[in-house]
Amino acid sequence: MLFVLIALWAIAAIIWLSDRHASVNHWLGAVAFSGGAGALAAVLDLQWLPAAAEAGMNQVAQQLLYRLQAVSSLVSYYGLPYSFLLFAIVYRPLRLSKRLLQTLPFLLLIPIILCIVFTPFYTVVYPISFKIVIWWAVPYIIFGAVQILLKRQLHASFSRSHWIICSVVLPPVMFCMVMNYVFPSFGMLRMWVYNTWVVGLGVTVFIVALFTYGFMGVRVNIDRRRFDSTLRAVTSGTAILNHAIKNDAGKMRLFSEKMKAYAIETNQQELLEDVETVLNASRHMQEMLQRVHRRTEDLMLQLETTDLAVLIEQTMKGYEPVLRNVKLHTALTKGWHCRIDPAQISEALGNIVANAVEAMKGSGELFIQLNETKRELIIEVKDTGPGMIKSEMGKVLEPFYTTKNGSDTNFGLGLPYAYHVMRKHRGMLDMRSKPGVGTSIYLTFPKRSVQAARAEGNTSERGEAIG
């Protein structure tokens, strides 16, 4: 049980710290914390209190430990179904009025308050009145489980996270429901000792999922911080380098112009050609560095209210000449006006499209969709190119990493730039790729962050072959 205590509270801390503003993380962390409180009560009951009595600890200290056990046990029994149901409601929101949703957490507390006030207080044998608590705790958990399972994933990029949540959260909670509430209501007490194995399995799945795919945004948060740190380092370095080389390049041009004038005046053709070579080299050097600097400098957004579907269509018109034999399919949910920087978003989308076309070597199918969920707008760019292996997927957002060999003009900054633009809009860039199938890149805009407002419109679908 000590392992369960440490594991569940560590998981609660990870989930809470990963995104402090997400309600879904708040309540899922509360589920893990409630389970850990039950493990603490079990450790006190089975280990610490007997050890304290055997060691001759004074009665006051023993009484404090007993009260801690009582509080921990009640937090677990009452907190688990309550926090689990609220997690499920936040995870798959109910169609209720805003006012009712705000009061729902207080309404769901009523059975708990009534049980605390009107049922016998905690004892080691009967910590709660199981035959009464079962009538609200079990419905809370069952309704929450159904609510989670019924969540419809509109986007493939989120389906994996959904099933990870179902695998990590539902089996331990449902098992604990049977062992902690159902069996004790029939007189089969202390069945919670069997929870260790199922909770341990859930913890294992959580750890594997966390480091393999990410869980509730935790892995995404870790990757974001790594990419942000890398971009800051590159930005700082190129800014310093750009300043230093710009000054030296200016000196080179100044003295080269003087030498050029002297060569013309004295009619030294060979010297003139050499000076022109030096001038061209200095201009090329400065131009290349400026191109890197423009892609990595800290972006200053110029926000405008923009129709996102129209912006996508305008961006794609500029890429029609390079599509060649790529068949373009678009499906855009129209009417969403957002406060974004249209130039930066268009440039980011263009980089992704250019990468997709280049990956398909001018022949294949390109799908561009604009979809919506309850809280987000999602642009998906999907190609039928060769796809990427897992090791490449982990590097493509790192500045200067590129899979395109033989090009001295590609710095591997297209996707990092697009990621940087999305972070500035408080959004997210995500991707999925499979060798031999293709790559999908998702630009996710939180509706609240971009002040998204819906005007009347419909879904437009268009398929065309550009040859």
PDB file of all heavy atoms in Angstrom, residues 25-37:
ATOM      1  N   ASN A  25      -7.728  18.419 -15.797  1.00  0.00           N
ATOM      2  CA  ASN A  25      -6.567  17.973 -15.024  1.00  0.00           C
ATOM      3  C   ASN A  25      -6.794  18.128 -13.531  1.00  0.00           C
ATOM      4  O   ASN A  25      -6.334  17.308 -12.727  1.00  0.00           O
ATOM      5  CB  ASN A  25      -5.321  18.756 -15.456  1.00  0.00           C
ATOM      6  CG  ASN A  25      -4.771  18.275 -16.776  1.00  0.00           C
ATOM      7  OD1 ASN A  25      -5.521  17.906 -17.670  1.00  0.00           O
ATOM      8  ND2 ASN A  25      -3.468  18.285 -16.925  1.00  0.00           N
ATOM      9  N   HIS A  26      -7.498  19.189 -13.129  1.00  0.00           N
ATOM     10  CA  HIS A  26      -7.792  19.393 -11.712  1.00  0.00           C
ATOM     11  C   HIS A  26      -8.546  18.198 -11.142  1.00  0.00           C
ATOM     12  O   HIS A  26      -8.175  17.643 -10.098  1.00  0.00           O
ATOM     13  CB  HIS A  26      -8.636  20.654 -11.523  1.00  0.00           C
ATOM     14  CG  HIS A  26      -7.901  21.913 -11.854  1.00  0.00           C
ATOM     15  ND1 HIS A  26      -8.520  23.138 -11.985  1.00  0.00           N
ATOM     16  CD2 HIS A  26      -6.581  22.150 -12.107  1.00  0.00           C
ATOM     17  CE1 HIS A  26      -7.619  24.060 -12.288  1.00  0.00           C
ATOM     18  NE2 HIS A  26      -6.448  23.488 -12.381  1.00  0.00           N
ATOM     19  N   TRP A  27      -9.594  17.764 -11.842  1.00  0.00           N
ATOM     20  CA  TRP A  27     -10.434  16.704 -11.298  1.00  0.00           C
ATOM     21  C   TRP A  27      -9.797  15.332 -11.450  1.00  0.00           C
ATOM     22  O   TRP A  27      -9.976  14.462 -10.585  1.00  0.00           O
ATOM     23  CB  TRP A  27     -11.820  16.741 -11.946  1.00  0.00           C
ATOM     24  CG  TRP A  27     -12.605  17.939 -11.512  1.00  0.00           C
ATOM     25  CD1 TRP A  27     -13.022  18.987 -12.273  1.00  0.00           C
ATOM     26  CD2 TRP A  27     -13.060  18.218 -10.174  1.00  0.00           C
ATOM     27  NE1 TRP A  27     -13.698  19.905 -11.514  1.00  0.00           N
ATOM     28  CE2 TRP A  27     -13.738  19.460 -10.216  1.00  0.00           C
ATOM     29  CE3 TRP A  27     -12.960  17.555  -8.962  1.00  0.00           C
ATOM     30  CZ2 TRP A  27     -14.317  20.035  -9.087  1.00  0.00           C
ATOM     31  CZ3 TRP A  27     -13.528  18.127  -7.830  1.00  0.00           C
ATOM     32  CH2 TRP A  27     -14.195  19.349  -7.903  1.00  0.00           C
ATOM     33  N   LEU A  28      -9.050  15.096 -12.533  1.00  0.00           N
ATOM     34  CA  LEU A  28      -8.355  13.817 -12.651  1.00  0.00           C
ATOM     35  C   LEU A  28      -7.274  13.697 -11.573  1.00  0.00           C
ATOM     36  O   LEU A  28      -7.077  12.616 -10.991  1.00  0.00           O
ATOM     37  CB  LEU A  28      -7.740  13.662 -14.039  1.00  0.00           C
ATOM     38  CG  LEU A  28      -7.040  12.327 -14.293  1.00  0.00           C
ATOM     39  CD1 LEU A  28      -7.993  11.162 -14.085  1.00  0.00           C
ATOM     40  CD2 LEU A  28      -6.447  12.275 -15.689  1.00  0.00           C
ATOM     41  N   GLY A  29      -6.591  14.799 -11.305  1.00  0.00           N
ATOM     42  CA  GLY A  29      -5.623  14.788 -10.201  1.00  0.00           C
ATOM     43  C   GLY A  29      -6.295  14.515  -8.870  1.00  0.00           C
ATOM     44  O   GLY A  29      -5.743  13.828  -8.013  1.00  0.00           O
ATOM     45  N   ALA A  30      -7.522  15.035  -8.701  1.00  0.00           N
ATOM     46  CA  ALA A  30      -8.267  14.782  -7.465  1.00  0.00           C
ATOM     47  C   ALA A  30      -8.647  13.314  -7.333  1.00  0.00           C
ATOM     48  O   ALA A  30      -8.675  12.761  -6.222  1.00  0.00           O
ATOM     49  CB  ALA A  30      -9.527  15.650  -7.430  1.00  0.00           C
ATOM     50  N   VAL A  31      -8.927  12.647  -8.467  1.00  0.00           N
ATOM     51  CA  VAL A  31      -9.211  11.202  -8.435  1.00  0.00           C
ATOM     52  C   VAL A  31      -7.990  10.446  -7.910  1.00  0.00           C
ATOM     53  O   VAL A  31      -8.101   9.587  -7.026  1.00  0.00           O
ATOM     54  CB  VAL A  31      -9.606  10.698  -9.841  1.00  0.00           C
ATOM     55  CG1 VAL A  31      -9.712   9.169  -9.855  1.00  0.00           C
ATOM     56  CG2 VAL A  31     -10.921  11.318 -10.283  1.00  0.00           C
ATOM     57  N   ALA A  32      -6.810  10.756  -8.463  1.00  0.00           N
ATOM     58  CA  ALA A  32      -5.581  10.096  -8.010  1.00  0.00           C
ATOM     59  C   ALA A  32      -5.280  10.425  -6.554  1.00  0.00           C
ATOM     60  O   ALA A  32      -4.858   9.555  -5.778  1.00  0.00           O
ATOM     61  CB  ALA A  32      -4.415  10.505  -8.908  1.00  0.00           C
ATOM     62  N   PHE A  33      -5.523  11.681  -6.161  1.00  0.00           N
ATOM     63  CA  PHE A  33      -5.269  12.076  -4.770  1.00  0.00           C
ATOM     64  C   PHE A  33      -6.198  11.330  -3.813  1.00  0.00           C
ATOM     65  O   PHE A  33      -5.768  10.873  -2.740  1.00  0.00           O
ATOM     66  CB  PHE A  33      -5.461  13.580  -4.610  1.00  0.00           C
ATOM     67  CG  PHE A  33      -5.186  14.081  -3.217  1.00  0.00           C
ATOM     68  CD1 PHE A  33      -3.891  14.375  -2.818  1.00  0.00           C
ATOM     69  CD2 PHE A  33      -6.217  14.239  -2.303  1.00  0.00           C
ATOM     70  CE1 PHE A  33      -3.630  14.819  -1.523  1.00  0.00           C
ATOM     71  CE2 PHE A  33      -5.965  14.688  -1.010  1.00  0.00           C
ATOM     72  CZ  PHE A  33      -4.672  14.980  -0.619  1.00  0.00           C
ATOM     73  N   SER A  34      -7.478  11.174  -4.179  1.00  0.00           N
ATOM     74  CA  SER A  34      -8.426  10.456  -3.330  1.00  0.00           C
ATOM     75  C   SER A  34      -8.010   8.998  -3.164  1.00  0.00           C
ATOM     76  O   SER A  34      -8.072   8.440  -2.064  1.00  0.00           O
ATOM     77  CB  SER A  34      -9.834  10.525  -3.933  1.00  0.00           C
ATOM     78  OG  SER A  34     -10.269  11.864  -4.033  1.00  0.00           O
ATOM     79  N   GLY A  35      -7.578   8.386  -4.265  1.00  0.00           N
ATOM     80  CA  GLY A  35      -7.083   7.011  -4.161  1.00  0.00           C
ATOM     81  C   GLY A  35      -5.859   6.916  -3.268  1.00  0.00           C
ATOM     82  O   GLY A  35      -5.723   5.977  -2.474  1.00  0.00           O
ATOM     83  N   GLY A  36      -4.963   7.899  -3.390  1.00  0.00           N
ATOM     84  CA  GLY A  36      -3.784   7.917  -2.524  1.00  0.00           C
ATOM     85  C   GLY A  36      -4.142   8.110  -1.065  1.00  0.00           C
ATOM     86  O   GLY A  36      -3.479   7.562  -0.168  1.00  0.00           O
ATOM     87  N   ALA A  37      -5.211   8.890  -0.782  1.00  0.00           N
ATOM     88  CA  ALA A  37      -5.657   9.074   0.601  1.00  0.00           C
ATOM     89  C   ALA A  37      -6.120   7.745   1.192  1.00  0.00           C
ATOM     90  O   ALA A  37      -5.860   7.441   2.372  1.00  0.00           O
ATOM     91  CB  ALA A  37      -6.780  10.104   0.649  1.00  0.00           C
TER      92      ALA A  37
END
